[in-house]
Amino acid sequence: SSMAGDIAIGPGTIALQDGARVFSATLGEGQGGAVLLRGAEVTLAGNSVIGVGTGLAAMGAPATAGIVDVRADTLRLSESSNINADNFGSGQGGSIALNVGSLSMSDAAIRTQNIISPSGKGGDLTIDAREGISMERSLITAEATAGQAGSIKISAAKLTMSSGGIRGNGYVGGRPGNIGIAVKGLLTLEREAEINVSDASERSATAVGDSSAASIDMCQGKINCARRDTRSREHETPRP
C-alpha cells in the first residue's frame, strides 16, 4: 500500500497560473493526501489545477482519496482552470470543501467523479460562500461513469449563473448523487444555465425538483430565470 502526503499552502495571496498544478494522489491501496489552501485571495488562471485523487495505477484497488480544502476571502477560477477530485479505484473518492467569502468562476470547473469501478464512490462537493457565487460558462459537477457519484451541497448569500450550471450526472453504469442548494438571496439563471440531475436511463430532475434517479433540494430566496429575450420570471423557492 501507499500513502500520499498532505500539501498546505498559505496564508496570504495565492496565485496559480500558466498550467500550474497542486495535486495529491495515491497510486495504490493507501490513503490519499489533502490539499489545504488558506489565503485572503486564491486565484487559478491559465488552465491551472488543484486536485486530489486515486491515479490509474490504483484502478480497482480500494484506495481512499484525500480532500481539497480551500478557505479564503475570495476564490477566483478562470481560463479553463479547475478544482477536481477523481477516483479510479474501488474505494472512496476525494471530496472538495470550499469555505469562502465569494466564489467567481469564468470558463472553469469544480468537479468530483468516480470513473471506472462499479464499487467505487465519488466524493462529495461542498461550497459555502458567505457573500455569493458568480458563474459564467462554468460547471460545478459530481459525476460517475460507474459506481456512485458524490453529492453537491451549496450554501450562498446569492448565486448567479450564465451558461453552464450545476449538475449531478450518472453515465453508462454510474448513479448520480443529490444536489442541495440553499440561497439566502437571489438565484439567477441566464443563457440556458441549468441545475440538473440525470442518469444513464435519461431520468432527470431540473431546477426545482421533479422525481428522478436522485433529487434536487432548493430552499430560501428567489429564483430569477432570464429568457433569451432578456425578460425574466421570478418566483419564491419552497422553504423547508
Side-chain angles (χ1 to χ4, degrees):
S1 65
S2 61
M3 181 173 293
D6 295 339
I7 300 172
I9 303 175
T13 299
I14 301 169
L16 278 65
Q17 55 191 7
D18 299 329
R21 298 285 192 272
V22 178
F23 200 86
S24 179
T26 180
L27 303 180
E29 297 182 0
Q31 172 68 48
V35 176
L36 312 172
L37 274 69
R38 305 287 186 266
E41 182 174 332
V42 177
T43 302
L44 282 71
N47 199 33
S48 295
V49 177
I50 297 172
V52 294
T54 58
L56 281 170
M59 188 181 303
T64 301
I67 183 173
V68 175
D69 186 336
V70 179
R71 301 181 189 182
D73 295 332
T74 302
L75 175 59
R76 297 189 180 93
L77 288 79
S78 64
E79 301 171 344
S80 299
S81 294
N82 67 83
I83 298 174
N84 64 61
D86 298 335
N87 183 29
F88 289 89
S90 60
Q92 174 64 53
S95 58
I96 297 174
L98 310 179
N99 192 322
V100 300
S102 63
L103 170 62
S104 175
M105 301 174 64
S106 177
D107 298 300
I110 300 171
R111 74 166 191 268
T112 68
Q113 56 181 344
N114 189 66
I115 300 171
I116 294 175
S117 175
S119 58
K121 184 180 185 302
D124 294 333
L125 197 165
T126 304
I127 301 174
D128 186 353
R130 299 178 298 278
E131 298 172 15
I133 299 172
S134 174
M135 300 169 58
E136 183 175 4
R137 299 182 304 276
S138 296
L139 291 172
I140 295 174
T141 62
E143 301 177 334
T145 55
Q148 176 66 52
S151 294
I152 298 173
K153 183 178 180 180
I154 296 175
S155 175
K158 58 184 178 180
L159 173 57
T160 301
M161 291 188 289
S162 178
S163 298
I166 299 170
R167 300 173 184 168
N169 295 327
Y171 303 110
V172 191
R175 302 180 300 277
N178 297 321
I179 296 177
I181 299 176
V183 179
K184 294 180 180 179
L186 189 63
L187 169 57
T188 301
L189 309 178
E190 301 175 334
R191 298 180 181 177
E192 299 183 350
E194 66 176 5
I195 300 169
N196 179 269
V197 170
S198 63
D199 67 8
S201 67
E202 298 185 354
R203 293 179 297 174
S204 67
T206 56
V208 264
D210 301 322
S211 138
S212 90
S215 67
I216 298 173
D217 179 22
M218 301 177 64
C219 63
Q220 301 183 359
K222 294 181 178 180
I223 299 177
N224 182 38
C225 301
R227 297 171 176 165
R228 287 185 176 180
D229 60 7
T230 72
R231 292 178 299 174
S232 65
R233 52 191 172 88
E234 184 176 284
H235 62 273
E236 294 282 351
T237 60
R239 297 178 180 273

